[in-house]
Amino acid sequence: MSKTFLTDMFFDELNSSVLDIDKAETLPPLCYTDAGFFEFEKKALFDKEWLCVGRVDWIPNPGDFYTSEIIDEPIVVVHDRDGTIRAMSSVCQHRAMLVAEGSGNTRTFTCPYHHWIYNLKGELINAPAMEKTCDFHKEESSLPVFKLEIWHGFIFINFNDDAEPLTPRLAALEPILANYDIENAEGPVPDRNIKYEFSWKVMFENNNDGYHANKLHQGEFHDYIPSDLAEFPEQLPENTAGFFRTNGTLHKDASFNPTQKALMPVFPKLTEEERNRMAFANLPPTLSLVLTSDAVIYLILRADGPESHKLDLGVLFAKGAMDDPEFDNKMEMVLERALDINAQDVHVDELVQIGLRSRFAKRGRYSWQEGAQRQFNTWLVPRYRAHWEDIKQQAAVGE
């Protein structure tokens, strides 16, 4: 595991990635490939930032639960019978067996190994044959419960109990999302646990990238959303937890399907301006949103290695859209185009990951149409630098 990047010089060089777009350069390839850097990144980002792990509508009823994992941490999210949404470690506090798999509805979580039983609050309520164990107290063996926030129906957790609240740090995104009413939107069951063999950052950058749209997806897939109509906010708050871009369209209510126009009901509160553009909102390191006039596509990225991650992919429509007798047929058309575009993106991402391993991979320069990549860097680099300073301070204390 390489730690050669743990130098002041390396982190000072990252500053060039947050310069103005006409001067900025990409992150070093090592940031996408190196196992040691991923271990550093887990502490710099994933142990401190808010992580999207799903949506409230995945667990609509009391007792509903689903499982997930990110950076090798197994998680169970449950709708408690008192109405509370709760996220916990699904690791039994006895011998580390997982107490939940998949999804379903339950009254308790029972470890299948030794039948320790936890309630939906994570409290241990039964531990068979432990009466002869000295100084064993059930109340000391609860499942760890994570700090949780719900934002527009998305469930976020934080492994850091002292983390600042998420919602106030997303104020810059509210004007972009407000009229989509995402909290009350509806959609079919998402496609979960899609495994990709490339870095989560490679996919996050691809999700942000308007520069490639009319090149890779040229023709009927994307030409009605020209890359040269991309716009980026001039300034975002320094402590923002998310960023966005917009992209004008050649016709009103453009959408990703073979007709190139909205098939589903248009979100009723959208303005004329919003119906003549698309928006892309990003909450690293886990959530990307693509907003069209009739659909919101969400991508939840769950890193599990330096060069791999899992994806939960879903789409949301205006409330009532699924009542349309033609919904299934329309959904097929939406999926047809989405899968075509996704196949092109995934193929490119796989090849980018191969290229990043090369001795000839270098730090490149950006087009103005890649402004969202600089936004991403502006989120990443200060967090990398802050953790490096923490490491140096801890080392100094230990001397």
Side-chain angles (χ1 to χ4, degrees):
M1 181 174 70
S2 169
K3 291 189 178 180
T4 56
F5 61 88
L6 291 177
T7 65
D8 283 330
M9 180 181 294
F10 176 85
F11 290 97
D12 287 344
E13 288 175 349
L14 294 184
N15 290 337
S16 63
S17 291
V18 299
L19 297 173
D20 290 342
I21 193 66
D22 58 337
K23 299 182 179 67
E25 59 182 344
T26 61
L27 295 171
L30 169 151
C31 296
Y32 302 84
T33 62
D34 187 81
F37 189 82
F38 181 66
E39 291 303 312
F40 169 89
E41 189 172 64
K42 286 197 290 187
K43 295 179 174 60
L45 304 181
F46 293 93
D47 284 358
K48 299 175 181 177
E49 297 299 326
W50 288 93
L51 311 173
C52 185
V53 294
R55 279 189 57 81
V56 172
D57 51 49
W58 295 5
I59 43 174
N61 305 308
D64 285 351
F65 75 92
Y66 66 87
T67 57
S68 187
E69 69 281 327
I70 187 167
I71 59 163
D72 295 326
E73 287 295 343
I75 298 160
V76 58
V77 183
V78 63
H79 183 160
D80 199 349
R81 297 190 178 276
D82 63 5
T84 303
I85 302 297
R86 188 173 289 109
M88 306 174 286
S89 170
S90 63
V91 177
C92 182
Q93 300 299 284
H94 174 222
R95 295 270 296 281
M97 176 66 187
L98 300 189
V99 302
E101 294 181 90
S103 60
N105 187 280
T106 188
R107 289 189 172 276
T108 57
F109 295 111
T110 299
C111 173
Y113 200 6
H114 301 101
H115 280 219
W116 282 31
I117 300 175
Y118 299 86
N119 65 20
L120 301 190
K121 293 178 174 57
E123 298 165 338
L124 180 63
I125 57 176
N126 190 32
M130 293 294 290
E131 66 277 359
K132 295 182 180 181
T133 301
C134 294
D135 299 320
F136 173 74
H137 307 286
K138 291 201 297 288
E139 61 273 15
E140 296 175 358
S141 295
S142 298
L143 299 176
V145 177
F146 306 128
K147 195 167 186 174
L148 181 146
E149 278 195 40
I150 297 171
W151 179 79
H152 290 281
F154 290 100
I155 300 169
F156 287 81
I157 66 167
N158 203 305
F159 294 130
N160 177 13
D161 289 337
D162 297 323
E164 293 181 34
L166 172 66
T167 302
R169 296 168 55 218
L170 292 173
L173 298 185
E174 293 302 333
I176 296 295
L177 271 64
N179 290 336
Y180 291 88
D181 194 20
I182 298 174
E183 182 176 358
N184 297 307
E186 61 185 24
V189 175
D191 193 358
R192 298 197 57 214
N193 297 310
I194 307 167
K195 178 72 172 180
Y196 289 131
E197 298 298 333
F198 44 85
S199 166
W200 71 273
K201 290 192 294 296
V202 169
M203 185 163 205
F204 211 94
E205 289 176 342
N206 184 80
N207 297 344
N208 298 335
D209 182 26
Y211 185 37
H212 82 282
N214 297 139
K215 289 82 174 173
L216 178 65
H217 307 309
Q218 63 181 302
E220 64 175 345
F221 283 11
H222 223 291
D223 284 356
Y224 52 98
I225 315 162
S227 298
D228 59 8
L229 293 184
E231 293 186 7
F232 310 94
E234 291 185 8
Q235 191 68 39
L236 290 169
E238 188 172 328
N239 70 338
T240 186
F243 54 91
F244 68 90
R245 67 180 173 92
T246 59
N247 209 114
T249 58
L250 294 184
H251 59 257
K252 186 176 179 179
D253 296 332
S255 194
F256 293 118
N257 64 67
T259 74
Q260 303 181 1
K261 295 183 179 181
L263 285 174
M264 305 294 184
V266 171
F267 292 99
K269 295 181 181 179
L270 295 185
T271 65
E272 282 296 303
E273 179 183 2
E274 288 168 331
R275 292 178 68 174
N276 282 278
R277 74 182 188 198
M278 292 187 182
F280 303 80
N282 301 283
L283 290 73
T286 49
L287 181 63
S288 282
L289 302 173
V290 179
L291 302 107
T292 73
S293 62
D294 70 333
V296 174
I297 302 166
Y298 63 89
L299 303 95
I300 300 174
L301 287 71
R302 297 186 280 114
D304 62 3
E307 299 188 83
S308 64
H309 69 281
K310 291 180 180 177
L311 176 73
D312 300 332
L313 175 62
V315 60
L316 301 169
F317 304 107
K319 197 166 186 64
M322 297 178 70
D323 296 333
D324 183 347
E326 290 297 311
F327 176 80
D328 288 343
N329 292 333
K330 292 178 179 179
M331 191 66 204
E332 274 191 41
M333 296 175 70
V334 171
L335 288 175
E336 174 190 342
R337 183 49 41 88
L339 291 173
D340 287 341
I341 293 174
N342 186 63
Q344 292 178 330
D345 282 330
V346 168
H347 180 62
V348 165
D349 289 346
E350 290 171 342
L351 297 182
V352 166
Q353 190 67 44
I354 293 171
L356 285 165
R357 300 183 199 125
S358 168
R359 73 189 72 182
F360 300 112
K362 61 179 238 179
R363 300 182 70 182
R365 298 293 301 279
Y366 290 117
S367 159
W368 72 266
Q369 294 177 359
E370 294 175 285
Q373 311 306 356
R374 180 188 172 276
Q375 290 176 324
F376 187 30
N377 295 342
T378 303
W379 186 90
L380 285 168
V381 170
R383 288 159 174 80
Y384 290 156
R385 289 186 59 88
H387 187 57
W388 170 233
E389 293 301 321
D390 287 344
I391 290 174
K392 290 195 298 180
Q393 186 174 4
Q394 292 167 11
V397 171
E399 289 178 354

